[in-house]
Amino acid sequence: IPAKKGDSKRQEKAEFKLPEENRNMRRVFAYLMKSRLIAREVIEYFAHEKLLYEDAVYHNAVFVGRDEYGVPRHAHKKSTWVEDGGFRANAAGSDPRYSFHHVGVSDTLRVFESPVDMLSYITKHPSGWEHDSYVALCGVSEHAMLWILEQYPHHTTVILQLDNDSAGKGADHRSSGILRERGHLNIGIEKSEYKDWNEDLKCINGIYSGEATWQ
């Protein structure tokens, strides 16, 4: 039977399901600590909060986003294999409003492109980090940032800390405009010295030799 015109547009959204959890996190710890230089205590914090784990099949690092009721709604998968070219993807059915985040008590929300950049910044600035709020957009879409501002109105300052490249700078401009339209006027932009916050972290540890990306 031939498909009816428009059937492809009526495909149902995939049901969200977290990847099966592995019995341990050895590969995730090894990858994040040795390849990405993330501090052990930072990894342990998010693992304890059930926001980070290792999947059982592919041994990806899985960064979990939960809604206001604590229900998982988003999962970002990042390969722990250095040789595979850096595979990363959101799990099917993930709701972009609920990507990987931490909500603190201060008035400041810090916005990143990826979970690794978010954890890199926390590793580089560990003192009292948990008081601020952080969100990894898992891209450059503004949905998760706006959801946090709607759900947690104590945030009066937004600091955009997206990648220091053309895509990140374009997202700065777009996100700033959206925030102003919604009445958020205290907006800051903080850039990494290199392309992203993980490259900065590698640089201060002496294992990155790329050129700085000057604004």
Side-chain angles (χ1 to χ4, degrees):
I1 300 175
K4 294 180 180 179
K5 185 177 181 180
D7 276 355
S8 61
K9 296 181 181 179
R10 293 198 294 267
Q11 291 180 352
E12 293 184 5
K13 182 179 179 180
E15 180 183 359
F16 174 72
K17 183 179 180 181
L18 285 174
E20 182 183 353
E21 187 172 353
N22 198 38
R23 290 177 294 177
N24 61 66
M25 289 181 58
R26 282 199 289 267
R27 293 191 189 182
V28 166
F29 268 94
Y31 169 71
L32 292 178
M33 291 180 63
K34 295 179 180 179
S35 296
R36 295 295 190 162
L37 305 185
I38 308 297
R40 173 180 284 275
E41 55 268 28
V42 174
I43 302 169
E44 289 176 341
Y45 174 88
F46 286 95
H48 180 267
E49 295 296 310
K50 304 297 183 184
L51 298 175
L52 171 61
Y53 68 92
E54 181 175 318
D55 86 62
V57 179
Y58 300 105
H59 302 284
N60 293 318
V62 180
F63 299 90
V64 181
R66 298 178 182 271
D67 66 16
E68 60 269 34
Y69 304 107
V71 179
R73 301 289 190 187
H74 189 284
H76 181 75
K77 301 176 290 184
K78 177 69 181 73
S79 175
T80 57
W81 298 96
V82 178
E83 297 83 4
D84 72 352
F87 166 81
R88 68 193 71 191
N90 295 327
S94 289
D95 189 323
R97 294 175 296 174
Y98 306 117
S99 63
F100 184 66
H101 64 275
H102 164 81
V103 177
V105 297
S106 85
D107 65 359
T108 299
L109 172 63
R110 299 180 177 275
V111 184
F112 299 85
E113 286 192 29
S114 76
V116 167
D117 284 334
M118 175 177 150
L119 299 188
S120 297
Y121 182 85
I122 292 171
T123 296
K124 191 179 177 186
H125 302 88
S127 180
W129 72 266
E130 65 275 9
H131 296 296
D132 286 349
S133 296
Y134 305 77
V135 62
L137 302 178
C138 300
V140 293
S141 171
E142 69 278 357
H143 298 296
M145 173 185 71
L146 296 178
W147 176 80
I148 289 180
L149 292 172
E150 291 169 1
Q151 291 294 318
Y152 305 97
H154 66 277
H155 296 108
T156 57
T157 299
V158 180
I159 302 179
L160 301 173
Q161 300 183 241
L162 308 176
D163 286 2
N164 195 3
D165 59 12
S166 58
K169 292 172 183 177
D172 287 337
H173 180 75
R174 186 183 69 252
S175 296
S176 295
I178 292 171
L179 288 168
R180 291 190 184 96
E181 288 176 359
R182 293 174 180 243
H184 300 284
L185 302 180
N186 195 9
I187 306 165
I189 295 176
E190 184 177 348
K191 288 295 183 189
S192 55
E193 183 175 357
Y194 294 86
K195 176 185 174 293
D196 58 45
W197 295 101
N198 190 246
E199 290 186 359
D200 276 18
L201 186 59
K202 289 178 179 179
C203 181
I204 64 175
N205 283 276
I207 65 169
Y208 180 71
S209 58
E211 294 184 1
T213 305
W214 304 109
Q215 299 182 51

